[in-house]
Amino acid sequence: QVQLVESGGGLVQPGGSLRLSCAASGTFSIYTMSWYRQAPGKQRERVAIITPYGTPNYADSVKGRFTISRENAKNTVYLQMNSLKPEDTAVYYCNAKKLAADYWGQGTQVTVSS
């Protein structure tokens, strides 16, 4: 069983930056970790993923602006978000997955607005 707690969301102006954190309990290092987001009226989409070995991948919409990283010693995954745009506004969720095991955090709101 893994529990995930996100933090770091908030209100930021266009062009600004935020860093989201996701603290995990349990055996964190064996899980593939992802960040998803869901905007009002839209489907949840994956924006970034990182393997247990640290290999990242990104959605085209955030490539070059967002960076996912993990610190296994601290059981934490991060999402550094730069050059934020109004269309990045969403609830951001942390996900841990390995085979049939699939865990979600409660989400953190990110609002990009002037």
Side-chain angles (χ1 to χ4, degrees):
Q1 187 82 8
V2 173
Q3 292 184 323
L4 303 172
V5 179
E6 300 100 333
S7 61
L11 173 64
V12 63
Q13 291 187 343
S17 298
L18 280 176
R19 188 173 84 153
L20 305 183
S21 299
C22 173
S25 63
T27 311
F28 172 78
S29 62
I30 66 173
Y31 290 89
T32 292
M33 301 299 297
S34 300
W35 285 97
Y36 287 73
R37 67 185 180 189
Q38 188 166 19
K42 294 189 176 182
Q43 286 191 329
R44 191 173 294 191
E45 64 167 344
R46 189 174 68 196
V47 297
I49 185 171
I50 187 165
T51 69
Y53 309 103
T55 302
N57 209 342
Y58 302 94
D60 288 343
S61 58
V62 306
K63 203 170 289 185
R65 300 188 297 122
F66 290 12
T67 302
I68 188 171
S69 61
R70 64 191 298 160
E71 200 167 353
N72 288 343
K74 293 186 176 181
N75 279 14
T76 303
V77 63
Y78 304 97
L79 185 68
Q80 178 66 44
M81 305 186 294
N82 299 329
S83 302
L84 283 161
K85 305 175 181 180
E87 51 264 42
D88 295 318
T89 295
V91 178
Y92 283 71
Y93 297 92
C94 179
N95 173 265
K97 187 170 177 61
K98 180 176 175 64
L99 300 177
D102 195 4
Y103 302 101
W104 293 89
Q106 82 288 350
T108 186
Q109 176 70 46
V110 172
T111 303
V112 185
S113 175
S114 54

